[in-house]
PDB file of all heavy atoms in Angstrom:
ATOM      1  N   ASN A 829       0.830  -1.215   0.000  1.00  0.00           N
ATOM      2  CA  ASN A 829       0.000   0.000   0.000  1.00  0.00           C
ATOM      3  C   ASN A 829       0.857   1.256   0.000  1.00  0.00           C
ATOM      4  O   ASN A 829       0.535   2.237  -0.677  1.00  0.00           O
ATOM      5  CB  ASN A 829      -0.938   0.001   1.208  1.00  0.00           C
ATOM      6  CG  ASN A 829      -2.068  -0.977   1.061  1.00  0.00           C
ATOM      7  OD1 ASN A 829      -2.380  -1.437  -0.038  1.00  0.00           O
ATOM      8  ND2 ASN A 829      -2.688  -1.347   2.169  1.00  0.00           N
ATOM      9  N   GLN A 830       1.946   1.232   0.762  1.00  0.00           N
ATOM     10  CA  GLN A 830       2.834   2.393   0.791  1.00  0.00           C
ATOM     11  C   GLN A 830       3.489   2.602  -0.570  1.00  0.00           C
ATOM     12  O   GLN A 830       3.615   3.734  -1.035  1.00  0.00           O
ATOM     13  CB  GLN A 830       3.892   2.220   1.880  1.00  0.00           C
ATOM     14  CG  GLN A 830       3.337   2.373   3.273  1.00  0.00           C
ATOM     15  CD  GLN A 830       4.351   2.068   4.353  1.00  0.00           C
ATOM     16  OE1 GLN A 830       5.369   1.433   4.117  1.00  0.00           O
ATOM     17  NE2 GLN A 830       4.065   2.507   5.562  1.00  0.00           N
ATOM     18  N   GLU A 831       3.888   1.514  -1.193  1.00  0.00           N
ATOM     19  CA  GLU A 831       4.507   1.608  -2.523  1.00  0.00           C
ATOM     20  C   GLU A 831       3.514   2.182  -3.527  1.00  0.00           C
ATOM     21  O   GLU A 831       3.856   3.063  -4.324  1.00  0.00           O
ATOM     22  CB  GLU A 831       4.971   0.220  -2.968  1.00  0.00           C
ATOM     23  CG  GLU A 831       5.768   0.229  -4.245  1.00  0.00           C
ATOM     24  CD  GLU A 831       6.272  -1.164  -4.603  1.00  0.00           C
ATOM     25  OE1 GLU A 831       6.712  -1.887  -3.698  1.00  0.00           O
ATOM     26  OE2 GLU A 831       6.200  -1.511  -5.801  1.00  0.00           O
ATOM     27  N   GLN A 832       2.270   1.696  -3.474  1.00  0.00           N
ATOM     28  CA  GLN A 832       1.242   2.214  -4.378  1.00  0.00           C
ATOM     29  C   GLN A 832       0.973   3.685  -4.087  1.00  0.00           C
ATOM     30  O   GLN A 832       0.791   4.485  -5.001  1.00  0.00           O
ATOM     31  CB  GLN A 832      -0.033   1.391  -4.259  1.00  0.00           C
ATOM     32  CG  GLN A 832       0.102  -0.001  -4.821  1.00  0.00           C
ATOM     33  CD  GLN A 832      -1.088  -0.893  -4.481  1.00  0.00           C
ATOM     34  OE1 GLN A 832      -1.896  -0.581  -3.618  1.00  0.00           O
ATOM     35  NE2 GLN A 832      -1.178  -2.020  -5.166  1.00  0.00           N
ATOM     36  N   GLY A 833       0.964   4.048  -2.795  1.00  0.00           N
ATOM     37  CA  GLY A 833       0.759   5.440  -2.416  1.00  0.00           C
ATOM     38  C   GLY A 833       1.858   6.332  -2.944  1.00  0.00           C
ATOM     39  O   GLY A 833       1.605   7.438  -3.437  1.00  0.00           O
ATOM     40  N   LEU A 834       3.104   5.858  -2.873  1.00  0.00           N
ATOM     41  CA  LEU A 834       4.228   6.634  -3.400  1.00  0.00           C
ATOM     42  C   LEU A 834       4.112   6.820  -4.906  1.00  0.00           C
ATOM     43  O   LEU A 834       4.437   7.889  -5.433  1.00  0.00           O
ATOM     44  CB  LEU A 834       5.551   5.951  -3.050  1.00  0.00           C
ATOM     45  CG  LEU A 834       5.945   5.988  -1.578  1.00  0.00           C
ATOM     46  CD1 LEU A 834       7.181   5.134  -1.329  1.00  0.00           C
ATOM     47  CD2 LEU A 834       6.172   7.414  -1.104  1.00  0.00           C
ATOM     48  N   GLU A 835       3.639   5.791  -5.606  1.00  0.00           N
ATOM     49  CA  GLU A 835       3.444   5.898  -7.054  1.00  0.00           C
ATOM     50  C   GLU A 835       2.383   6.948  -7.378  1.00  0.00           C
ATOM     51  O   GLU A 835       2.538   7.729  -8.313  1.00  0.00           O
ATOM     52  CB  GLU A 835       3.045   4.542  -7.634  1.00  0.00           C
ATOM     53  CG  GLU A 835       4.176   3.525  -7.650  1.00  0.00           C
ATOM     54  CD  GLU A 835       3.722   2.126  -8.052  1.00  0.00           C
ATOM     55  OE1 GLU A 835       2.542   1.965  -8.448  1.00  0.00           O
ATOM     56  OE2 GLU A 835       4.539   1.202  -7.966  1.00  0.00           O
ATOM     57  N   VAL A 836       1.316   6.972  -6.593  1.00  0.00           N
ATOM     58  CA  VAL A 836       0.240   7.950  -6.809  1.00  0.00           C
ATOM     59  C   VAL A 836       0.767   9.358  -6.552  1.00  0.00           C
ATOM     60  O   VAL A 836       0.517  10.282  -7.332  1.00  0.00           O
ATOM     61  CB  VAL A 836      -0.978   7.637  -5.905  1.00  0.00           C
ATOM     62  CG1 VAL A 836      -1.999   8.764  -5.933  1.00  0.00           C
ATOM     63  CG2 VAL A 836      -1.626   6.323  -6.319  1.00  0.00           C
ATOM     64  N   VAL A 837       1.524   9.521  -5.471  1.00  0.00           N
ATOM     65  CA  VAL A 837       2.095  10.834  -5.158  1.00  0.00           C
ATOM     66  C   VAL A 837       3.031  11.280  -6.281  1.00  0.00           C
ATOM     67  O   VAL A 837       2.992  12.437  -6.712  1.00  0.00           O
ATOM     68  CB  VAL A 837       2.834  10.807  -3.794  1.00  0.00           C
ATOM     69  CG1 VAL A 837       3.634  12.091  -3.580  1.00  0.00           C
ATOM     70  CG2 VAL A 837       1.841  10.603  -2.652  1.00  0.00           C
ATOM     71  N   ALA A 838       3.849  10.360  -6.794  1.00  0.00           N
ATOM     72  CA  ALA A 838       4.776  10.703  -7.886  1.00  0.00           C
ATOM     73  C   ALA A 838       4.004  11.153  -9.128  1.00  0.00           C
ATOM     74  O   ALA A 838       4.398  12.113  -9.798  1.00  0.00           O
ATOM     75  CB  ALA A 838       5.670   9.507  -8.204  1.00  0.00           C
ATOM     76  N   LYS A 839       2.905  10.471  -9.417  1.00  0.00           N
ATOM     77  CA  LYS A 839       2.090  10.825 -10.586  1.00  0.00           C
ATOM     78  C   LYS A 839       1.539  12.247 -10.448  1.00  0.00           C
ATOM     79  O   LYS A 839       1.609  13.051 -11.382  1.00  0.00           O
ATOM     80  CB  LYS A 839       0.942   9.823 -10.729  1.00  0.00           C
ATOM     81  CG  LYS A 839      -0.003  10.108 -11.872  1.00  0.00           C
ATOM     82  CD  LYS A 839      -1.159   9.132 -11.862  1.00  0.00           C
ATOM     83  CE  LYS A 839      -2.426   9.944 -11.921  1.00  0.00           C
ATOM     84  NZ  LYS A 839      -3.629   9.241 -11.639  1.00  0.00           N
ATOM     85  N   TRP A 840       1.007  12.569  -9.274  1.00  0.00           N
ATOM     86  CA  TRP A 840       0.437  13.902  -9.056  1.00  0.00           C
ATOM     87  C   TRP A 840       1.529  14.968  -8.992  1.00  0.00           C
ATOM     88  O   TRP A 840       1.307  16.112  -9.399  1.00  0.00           O
ATOM     89  CB  TRP A 840      -0.421  13.919  -7.797  1.00  0.00           C
ATOM     90  CG  TRP A 840      -1.752  13.277  -8.019  1.00  0.00           C
ATOM     91  CD1 TRP A 840      -2.092  11.982  -7.740  1.00  0.00           C
ATOM     92  CD2 TRP A 840      -2.911  13.868  -8.589  1.00  0.00           C
ATOM     93  NE1 TRP A 840      -3.391  11.749  -8.102  1.00  0.00           N
ATOM     94  CE2 TRP A 840      -3.924  12.892  -8.620  1.00  0.00           C
ATOM     95  CE3 TRP A 840      -3.197  15.137  -9.081  1.00  0.00           C
ATOM     96  CZ2 TRP A 840      -5.195  13.142  -9.115  1.00  0.00           C
ATOM     97  CZ3 TRP A 840      -4.466  15.397  -9.570  1.00  0.00           C
ATOM     98  CH2 TRP A 840      -5.446  14.409  -9.582  1.00  0.00           C
ATOM     99  N   THR A 841       2.703  14.611  -8.495  1.00  0.00           N
ATOM    100  CA  THR A 841       3.820  15.560  -8.471  1.00  0.00           C
ATOM    101  C   THR A 841       4.208  15.942  -9.889  1.00  0.00           C
ATOM    102  O   THR A 841       4.427  17.122 -10.196  1.00  0.00           O
ATOM    103  CB  THR A 841       5.028  14.947  -7.714  1.00  0.00           C
ATOM    104  OG1 THR A 841       4.627  14.640  -6.379  1.00  0.00           O
ATOM    105  CG2 THR A 841       6.198  15.910  -7.682  1.00  0.00           C
ATOM    106  N   GLN A 842       4.255  14.953 -10.769  1.00  0.00           N
ATOM    107  CA  GLN A 842       4.560  15.224 -12.181  1.00  0.00           C
ATOM    108  C   GLN A 842       3.487  16.113 -12.800  1.00  0.00           C
ATOM    109  O   GLN A 842       3.796  17.020 -13.579  1.00  0.00           O
ATOM    110  CB  GLN A 842       4.678  13.918 -12.960  1.00  0.00           C
ATOM    111  CG  GLN A 842       5.925  13.133 -12.628  1.00  0.00           C
ATOM    112  CD  GLN A 842       5.957  11.772 -13.310  1.00  0.00           C
ATOM    113  OE1 GLN A 842       4.987  11.333 -13.913  1.00  0.00           O
ATOM    114  NE2 GLN A 842       7.099  11.100 -13.202  1.00  0.00           N
ATOM    115  N   ALA A 843       2.238  15.864 -12.425  1.00  0.00           N
ATOM    116  CA  ALA A 843       1.146  16.703 -12.946  1.00  0.00           C
ATOM    117  C   ALA A 843       1.323  18.147 -12.478  1.00  0.00           C
ATOM    118  O   ALA A 843       1.096  19.091 -13.246  1.00  0.00           O
ATOM    119  CB  ALA A 843      -0.208  16.148 -12.500  1.00  0.00           C
ATOM    120  N   ALA A 844       1.754  18.328 -11.222  1.00  0.00           N
ATOM    121  CA  ALA A 844       1.962  19.684 -10.693  1.00  0.00           C
ATOM    122  C   ALA A 844       3.144  20.367 -11.371  1.00  0.00           C
ATOM    123  O   ALA A 844       3.134  21.586 -11.564  1.00  0.00           O
ATOM    124  CB  ALA A 844       2.175  19.627  -9.181  1.00  0.00           C
ATOM    125  N   GLU A 845       4.139  19.578 -11.745  1.00  0.00           N
ATOM    126  CA  GLU A 845       5.309  20.149 -12.424  1.00  0.00           C
ATOM    127  C   GLU A 845       4.952  20.671 -13.808  1.00  0.00           C
ATOM    128  O   GLU A 845       5.556  21.625 -14.297  1.00  0.00           O
ATOM    129  CB  GLU A 845       6.418  19.085 -12.546  1.00  0.00           C
ATOM    130  CG  GLU A 845       7.077  18.747 -11.225  1.00  0.00           C
ATOM    131  CD  GLU A 845       7.969  17.511 -11.301  1.00  0.00           C
ATOM    132  OE1 GLU A 845       7.907  16.774 -12.311  1.00  0.00           O
ATOM    133  OE2 GLU A 845       8.714  17.282 -10.335  1.00  0.00           O
ATOM    134  N   LYS A 846       3.958  20.054 -14.448  1.00  0.00           N
ATOM    135  CA  LYS A 846       3.602  20.397 -15.826  1.00  0.00           C
ATOM    136  C   LYS A 846       2.322  21.221 -15.952  1.00  0.00           C
ATOM    137  O   LYS A 846       1.992  21.677 -17.040  1.00  0.00           O
ATOM    138  CB  LYS A 846       3.428  19.115 -16.644  1.00  0.00           C
ATOM    139  CG  LYS A 846       4.680  18.274 -16.725  1.00  0.00           C
ATOM    140  CD  LYS A 846       4.407  16.953 -17.412  1.00  0.00           C
ATOM    141  CE  LYS A 846       5.646  16.079 -17.418  1.00  0.00           C
ATOM    142  NZ  LYS A 846       5.409  14.755 -17.953  1.00  0.00           N
ATOM    143  N   ALA A 847       1.585  21.374 -14.870  1.00  0.00           N
ATOM    144  CA  ALA A 847       0.260  21.993 -14.943  1.00  0.00           C
ATOM    145  C   ALA A 847       0.320  23.415 -15.486  1.00  0.00           C
ATOM    146  O   ALA A 847       1.073  24.249 -15.003  1.00  0.00           O
ATOM    147  CB  ALA A 847      -0.385  21.993 -13.560  1.00  0.00           C
ATOM    148  N   LYS A 848      -0.511  23.651 -16.511  1.00  0.00           N
ATOM    149  CA  LYS A 848      -0.633  25.006 -17.051  1.00  0.00           C
ATOM    150  C   LYS A 848      -1.582  25.821 -16.168  1.00  0.00           C
ATOM    151  O   LYS A 848      -1.420  27.022 -16.031  1.00  0.00           O
ATOM    152  CB  LYS A 848      -1.145  24.934 -18.488  1.00  0.00           C
ATOM    153  CG  LYS A 848      -0.112  24.352 -19.413  1.00  0.00           C
ATOM    154  CD  LYS A 848      -0.560  24.437 -20.848  1.00  0.00           C
ATOM    155  CE  LYS A 848       0.576  24.097 -21.744  1.00  0.00           C
ATOM    156  NZ  LYS A 848       0.722  22.997 -22.443  1.00  0.00           N
ATOM    157  N   ASP A 849      -2.586  25.135 -15.596  1.00  0.00           N
ATOM    158  CA  ASP A 849      -3.544  25.786 -14.701  1.00  0.00           C
ATOM    159  C   ASP A 849      -3.468  25.098 -13.335  1.00  0.00           C
ATOM    160  O   ASP A 849      -4.162  24.112 -13.103  1.00  0.00           O
ATOM    161  CB  ASP A 849      -4.962  25.694 -15.264  1.00  0.00           C
ATOM    162  CG  ASP A 849      -6.000  26.321 -14.350  1.00  0.00           C
ATOM    163  OD1 ASP A 849      -5.610  27.003 -13.375  1.00  0.00           O
ATOM    164  OD2 ASP A 849      -7.199  26.113 -14.595  1.00  0.00           O
ATOM    165  N   PRO A 850      -2.628  25.581 -12.421  1.00  0.00           N
ATOM    166  CA  PRO A 850      -2.476  24.933 -11.116  1.00  0.00           C
ATOM    167  C   PRO A 850      -3.780  24.793 -10.347  1.00  0.00           C
ATOM    168  O   PRO A 850      -3.969  23.837  -9.614  1.00  0.00           O
ATOM    169  CB  PRO A 850      -1.506  25.853 -10.371  1.00  0.00           C
ATOM    170  CG  PRO A 850      -0.763  26.570 -11.435  1.00  0.00           C
ATOM    171  CD  PRO A 850      -1.736  26.720 -12.565  1.00  0.00           C
ATOM    172  N   ASN A 851      -4.710  25.726 -10.546  1.00  0.00           N
ATOM    173  CA  ASN A 851      -5.961  25.673  -9.790  1.00  0.00           C
ATOM    174  C   ASN A 851      -6.851  24.505 -10.193  1.00  0.00           C
ATOM    175  O   ASN A 851      -7.690  24.066  -9.422  1.00  0.00           O
ATOM    176  CB  ASN A 851      -6.704  27.007  -9.901  1.00  0.00           C
ATOM    177  CG  ASN A 851      -5.990  28.072  -9.101  1.00  0.00           C
ATOM    178  OD1 ASN A 851      -5.641  27.842  -7.949  1.00  0.00           O
ATOM    179  ND2 ASN A 851      -5.723  29.201  -9.715  1.00  0.00           N
ATOM    180  N   ALA A 852      -6.662  23.985 -11.375  1.00  0.00           N
ATOM    181  CA  ALA A 852      -7.447  22.825 -11.789  1.00  0.00           C
ATOM    182  C   ALA A 852      -7.059  21.582 -10.976  1.00  0.00           C
ATOM    183  O   ALA A 852      -7.866  20.666 -10.809  1.00  0.00           O
ATOM    184  CB  ALA A 852      -7.257  22.560 -13.279  1.00  0.00           C
ATOM    185  N   LEU A 853      -5.845  21.551 -10.441  1.00  0.00           N
ATOM    186  CA  LEU A 853      -5.388  20.390  -9.670  1.00  0.00           C
ATOM    187  C   LEU A 853      -6.208  20.186  -8.399  1.00  0.00           C
ATOM    188  O   LEU A 853      -6.448  19.059  -7.991  1.00  0.00           O
ATOM    189  CB  LEU A 853      -3.905  20.532  -9.311  1.00  0.00           C
ATOM    190  CG  LEU A 853      -2.938  20.385 -10.473  1.00  0.00           C
ATOM    191  CD1 LEU A 853      -1.522  20.703 -10.030  1.00  0.00           C
ATOM    192  CD2 LEU A 853      -3.007  18.991 -11.056  1.00  0.00           C
ATOM    193  N   TYR A 854      -6.628  21.289  -7.792  1.00  0.00           N
ATOM    194  CA  TYR A 854      -7.424  21.175  -6.562  1.00  0.00           C
ATOM    195  C   TYR A 854      -8.693  20.371  -6.825  1.00  0.00           C
ATOM    196  O   TYR A 854      -9.010  19.435  -6.092  1.00  0.00           O
ATOM    197  CB  TYR A 854      -7.763  22.565  -6.007  1.00  0.00           C
ATOM    198  CG  TYR A 854      -8.661  22.505  -4.795  1.00  0.00           C
ATOM    199  CD1 TYR A 854      -8.150  22.105  -3.567  1.00  0.00           C
ATOM    200  CD2 TYR A 854     -10.012  22.835  -4.877  1.00  0.00           C
ATOM    201  CE1 TYR A 854      -8.958  22.043  -2.448  1.00  0.00           C
ATOM    202  CE2 TYR A 854     -10.824  22.770  -3.767  1.00  0.00           C
ATOM    203  CZ  TYR A 854     -10.298  22.375  -2.563  1.00  0.00           C
ATOM    204  OH  TYR A 854     -11.106  22.298  -1.451  1.00  0.00           O
TER     205      TYR A 854
END
């Protein structure tokens, strides 16, 4: 579960790095 959680966090971190509209992430 922790490994899967880390993968999910990594995915969202990448999305935040590339987001053109940061407010859409919320």
